Amino acid sequence: MTRRGCDTEPGAVVLIADRSWDGLADRPSGHTEVAVCDGRVAEVGPTVDRAHAEVVELGDRMLLPGLIDCHIHTTVDPSRLLRAFASDGSAAIALSALPVLRNLLHRGFTTIRDLATFAAEPVTLYLRDAIARGHIVGPRMIVAPYLISARGAHGDASTLLASHFDREIGALADGADEITRRVRENIRAGADWIKFGATGGFATPSDDPAQTTYTQEEMNALVATAHDLGIPCTPHAYGDEGVSRAVTAGVRSIEHGNLASASTLAQMTERGISLVPTQFMVIDALDHLDDDSYWEGKDPAERVKFTRYADQLRESAHNVAASDVRIAFGTDAGMFPHADNWREFPAMVKTGIATVRALRAATSVAADLLDRPDLGRLQPGATADLVALPADPFDDITAVADIDFVMQKGAVHRTPTPGIAGKPPTGR
């Protein structure tokens, strides 16, 4: 039994479940009781003091730390991207994200890192602050407001919307001086992270995922500027050269990295740089290369690029599973329906990543990447972000799709029963 001390004062909650997993261990534990007070885990063990506490009986469910998605776009929906730029405006884009945020929380994602909006204003920063103040319901948000990009590269939406606007669209910057200014503007606005484009991508027709879009000097200037102001950086990076340059520049994580070589992954491991592999989108595309209906409504160039790099993508996924690189869970949801972000788990396992490694990626490893050691763990002193599900994800990773109890910072947002201890469930 582990204790921290809660005095089981009025307002304390005790959760009781037949099984639990703490975000760290190789296997789940048996019967577990968790005392929560003041938004934190106070005590964990086979039994805890229940005096004065509200008791939540979760039965045969497994209790585990709240999940973390380290790469998501809550304000992005590809089906309405042009309309969002043309007519919706920042307020409409922010409002459209409210049900997305609520649903993410109710499905067990208690923390997310949002890596760029396409709105004219940094609406994800406003959403982050509104959640923190309790004005709206959603996961705790950690935000990189924009994707800083070279002109004509992955983050330059001007090429997609040339027929709609006669102006540049995106957080565009070329050369060390302009990049430095753009980084400082993001941080002045309140950015938690800086995201930049190191390579092209698959979904944008004007570039290629193997292209490297910033020089080493430019990346060095970008990362050094953010570092001086205490802000970590992460790049959108598919191609091996772009990943390698970003690693050399000193980023904290790599987003995607799906064409990275084994030697570059080894370099990341040596330097302690995390990989957020966003494998579901890649694996899903590769599985449907010959399915014409899957590609309806998508730019034909995307299918051509996935076909061109199919063997390399599969090899790199194998290399990731075989490596010791720190893998943090991230999905790129927003580029596909947000409700499907859980599918990253089975995609990771399908490529050879061990189930426990995939689960740690969304809990303790993700928390470490975000410099939040109080998250992603079921242990005394941790923030009381806890979820429960009926089945065991160690037996079947798809069980994560059925989370039906959610607690965030000690407040219950979803319950599997009509009520708990005689009280109606909150946020149902």
Side-chain angles (χ1 to χ4, degrees):
M1 182 185 303
T2 51
R3 300 178 183 272
R4 188 174 179 87
C6 179
D7 298 327
T8 53
E9 61 192 33
V13 176
V14 171
L15 308 179
I16 302 175
D18 284 358
R19 298 163 289 169
S20 71
W21 180 66
D22 64 3
L24 299 163
D26 291 337
R27 295 293 303 172
S29 299
H31 177 89
T32 304
E33 300 186 6
V34 181
V36 174
C37 66
D38 295 329
R40 291 193 173 270
V41 175
E43 186 179 353
V44 182
T47 60
V48 300
D49 187 355
R50 306 182 191 179
H52 309 297
E54 177 185 1
V55 176
V56 178
E57 294 275 4
L58 293 170
D60 63 357
R61 286 173 176 77
M62 176 177 285
L63 190 66
L64 64 156
L67 303 179
I68 301 171
D69 190 332
C70 291
H71 188 134
I72 199 164
H73 302 281
T74 53
T75 63
V76 174
D77 178 352
S79 68
R80 55 186 290 281
L81 184 57
L82 288 175
R83 183 164 58 85
F85 276 116
S87 61
D88 281 4
S90 296
I93 292 171
L95 288 171
S96 71
L98 299 185
V100 171
L101 291 165
R102 179 184 290 271
N103 290 336
L104 283 167
L105 179 60
H106 285 188
R107 290 185 297 103
F109 288 88
T110 54
T111 302
I112 59 174
R113 182 178 60 159
D114 190 296
L115 290 182
T117 182
F118 292 109
E121 296 182 64
V123 296
T124 47
L125 294 175
Y126 308 155
L127 292 169
R128 175 199 66 187
D129 295 345
I131 289 171
R133 293 169 184 148
H135 297 162
I136 60 175
V137 173
R140 177 183 301 101
M141 291 183 72
I142 295 165
V143 174
Y146 294 112
L147 169 64
I148 298 174
S149 171
R151 288 175 175 82
H154 184 72
D156 186 353
S158 312
T159 56
L160 294 172
L161 301 166
S163 61
H164 295 262
F165 298 98
D166 185 24
R167 61 180 174 85
E168 290 188 330
I169 301 171
L172 308 181
D174 296 313
D177 289 345
E178 192 175 18
I179 289 169
T180 296
R181 179 176 63 82
R182 186 67 76 174
V183 169
R184 289 171 176 162
E185 288 174 348
N186 272 245
I187 295 172
R188 180 179 64 186
D192 302 306
W193 279 69
I194 294 295
K195 183 186 180 186
F196 66 96
T199 74
F202 285 94
T204 42
S206 61
D207 54 44
D208 185 273
Q211 291 173 344
T212 307
T213 53
Y214 273 142
T215 66
Q216 188 68 66
E217 178 188 11
E218 289 173 317
M219 289 193 203
N220 290 348
L222 187 152
V223 176
T225 300
H227 181 269
D228 286 346
L229 295 172
I231 301 297
C233 294
T234 192
H236 161 101
Y238 282 104
D240 189 59
E241 178 61 25
V243 174
S244 180
R245 289 186 195 178
V247 169
T248 298
V251 297
R252 186 177 293 180
S253 67
I254 296 290
E255 309 305 308
H256 313 304
N258 304 103
L259 296 172
S261 65
S263 60
T264 298
L265 292 171
Q267 183 185 19
M268 291 175 60
T269 303
E270 181 181 349
R271 297 192 178 199
I273 296 170
S274 298
L275 175 67
V276 183
T278 62
Q279 289 186 336
F280 168 64
M281 281 213 325
V282 171
I283 299 304
D284 196 46
L286 295 181
D287 287 346
H288 293 88
L289 283 178
D290 298 324
D291 181 356
D292 291 341
S293 62
Y294 176 87
W295 298 97
E296 287 180 5
K298 296 182 173 68
D299 192 291
E302 185 175 358
R303 187 179 191 179
V304 170
K305 285 187 277 190
F306 272 110
T307 302
R308 180 189 308 148
Y309 290 106
D311 291 343
Q312 216 174 319
L313 289 166
R314 293 187 179 101
E315 179 184 1
S316 184
H318 170 78
N319 290 338
V320 169
S323 75
D324 293 323
V325 70
R326 291 194 302 191
I327 299 173
F329 183 94
T331 64
D332 215 3
M335 303 311 296
F336 59 90
H338 298 92
D340 287 337
N341 73 326
W342 68 271
R343 296 185 185 277
E344 182 71 15
F345 284 106
M348 293 169 76
V349 171
K350 181 177 180 177
T351 64
I353 294 170
T355 296
V356 68
R357 191 179 182 190
L359 290 169
R360 286 177 183 145
T363 51
S364 57
V365 175
D368 290 344
L369 169 61
L370 302 179
D371 197 22
R372 288 294 305 265
D374 61 308
L375 302 177
R377 293 163 172 83
L378 174 51
Q379 60 186 26
T383 296
D385 285 6
L386 301 167
V387 300
L389 62 167
D392 187 340
F394 284 84
D395 295 334
D396 179 2
I397 192 63
T398 64
V400 295
D402 296 320
I403 287 170
D404 60 2
F405 172 86
V406 178
M407 171 181 279
Q408 184 191 47
K409 203 174 180 181
V412 175
H413 288 271
R414 184 178 182 187
T415 66
T417 58
I420 290 180
K423 296 182 179 181
T426 58
R428 185 72 171 177

